[in-house]
Amino acid sequence: MQPVIFTYRHSYFMVKAVFFDIDGTLVSFKTHKIPASTVEALKRIKEKGIKIIISTGRPVALINNLDEIKDMISGYITNNGGYCFVGDKVLASHPIPLRDIKTLMRVGEELNFATMIIGEHDYMIHNPTPMVDEIFVKLLNVQDIDYSVTAETVLKQNVYQLTPLVTPEQQEILMSQMTESIAARWHPDFADVTHKDADKGSAMLEMCKKLDIKPEETIAFGDGGNDITIIRAAGMGIAMGNAGDDVKAAADFVTASIDDDGIKKALDIFVA
């Protein structure tokens, strides 16, 4: 199969892999679906031999909205880089230390915010508040949350991500006490907390190394603050039109919004 090459800043790049965030990039917040134009565009680049790789803050258990393209996906960066795999092969694993998890649980009770604690196989809601329904159910379309899962069950597993429903001020207080973790924010009402060595950009570089792909042979799409590292690390970083200003500033190119065929329009330019 002939390589796909695009030009940028007077250089030539062979495209071997494209990384896609899910929420706000592949999947619309308005419809909770992948636009038909995006599905068709992904089919086209897959036929050209280009790898399609997911790069999401969601854990594996909550990736419930990719059925239309599931067979096209070559690999996954999940938990903002905390857990990455291709097929049955784990390429990166960065669990959060137990002491940081317990710190978050304590601070959550003190400041009265809810947190989704996400283990390798199960997840739980610590200190539930009404915001759980607003964020996880209505915004992210996570259905059938099982409130019966206990900390005893989840904390026996590797925990790759914590999603506290916090204000920026609460986040600052929290993260000042978590020594081995970092926070990435892509929505005003919550943050994603991962191990300090886990972010999407670092995960992309690690995945590229193991798949024998050069970083300059990649394109990355995103719309949130947790996408900035991968947008900067990729050969071509593309921000969606619905992205925040900080994401657009980090990108090499800004396409249209997800609901205005943004992915198709960008791929028509760079993967003709």
Side-chain angles (χ1 to χ4, degrees):
M1 216 168 263
Q2 291 297 315
V4 176
I5 297 175
F6 66 85
T7 60
Y8 177 64
R9 292 180 180 169
H10 310 293
S11 298
Y12 290 90
F13 294 85
M14 182 186 300
V15 184
K16 291 186 178 180
V18 185
F19 293 76
F20 296 94
D21 171 54
I22 296 179
D23 298 292
T25 300
L26 281 177
V27 177
S28 169
F29 284 119
K30 295 179 181 179
T31 66
H32 298 300
K33 295 181 179 180
I34 305 173
S37 66
T38 298
V39 175
E40 290 305 312
L42 266 58
K43 287 180 180 177
R44 179 167 59 83
I45 68 169
K46 182 70 174 179
E47 289 170 356
K48 292 177 181 289
I50 296 171
K51 293 184 184 298
I52 294 169
I53 300 174
I54 298 301
S55 169
T56 182
R58 289 189 180 230
V60 176
L62 298 185
I63 299 177
N64 59 359
N65 47 10
L66 300 181
D67 287 349
E68 295 167 279
I69 64 168
K70 192 172 182 179
D71 292 343
M72 304 183 217
I73 299 169
S74 296
Y76 290 82
I77 293 171
T78 68
N79 303 100
N80 285 315
Y83 185 70
C84 312
F85 60 94
V86 172
D88 295 330
K89 185 177 181 180
V90 177
L91 301 186
S93 174
H94 302 288
I96 299 171
L98 182 60
R99 59 181 174 274
D100 270 8
I101 301 169
K102 290 187 174 180
T103 295
L104 179 140
M105 295 172 75
R106 173 180 54 79
V107 176
E109 292 168 3
E110 292 172 355
L111 300 182
N112 194 32
F113 59 78
T115 300
M116 181 177 283
I117 301 175
I118 302 162
E120 190 167 357
H121 305 292
D122 301 286
Y123 65 89
M124 62 164 289
I125 305 295
H126 176 68
N127 193 43
T129 68
M131 283 294 290
V132 171
D133 184 69
E134 291 298 317
I135 298 300
F136 293 119
V137 179
K138 294 180 181 178
L139 177 69
L140 299 178
N141 198 35
V142 177
Q143 303 298 321
D144 302 321
I145 293 176
D146 186 355
Y147 290 93
S148 68
V149 180
T150 65
E152 183 181 8
T153 296
V154 176
L155 298 187
K156 288 179 180 177
Q157 306 169 19
N158 284 332
V159 171
Y160 292 107
Q161 186 169 310
L162 309 167
T163 302
L165 306 185
V166 287
T167 65
E169 294 75 21
Q170 289 173 323
Q171 177 182 327
E172 186 174 354
I173 294 170
L174 172 64
M175 297 312 298
S176 70
Q177 301 179 56
M178 297 179 68
T179 59
E180 298 298 316
S181 303
I182 56 172
R185 199 173 189 91
W186 59 273
H187 189 276
D189 291 325
F190 64 90
D192 287 332
V193 177
T194 56
H195 187 278
K196 64 182 181 181
D197 293 335
D199 64 69
K200 291 186 179 185
S202 298
M204 189 208 81
L205 295 176
E206 197 165 351
M207 182 170 277
C208 284
K209 184 177 181 180
K210 292 180 178 178
L211 295 178
D212 195 26
I213 296 172
K214 297 176 182 177
E216 58 265 31
E217 297 172 332
T218 66
I219 298 174
F221 285 82
D223 72 297
N226 60 341
D227 296 311
I228 290 175
T229 56
I230 194 169
I231 282 173
R232 287 175 172 163
M236 166 68 72
I238 300 179
M240 304 300 292
N242 48 282
D245 290 341
D246 55 342
V247 184
K248 292 177 180 177
D252 300 306
F253 182 82
V254 178
T255 187
S257 72
I258 181 174
D259 296 299
D260 192 30
D261 304 325
I263 287 180
K264 177 185 183 300
K265 289 175 178 177
L267 290 178
D268 282 348
I269 296 171
F270 298 110
V271 189

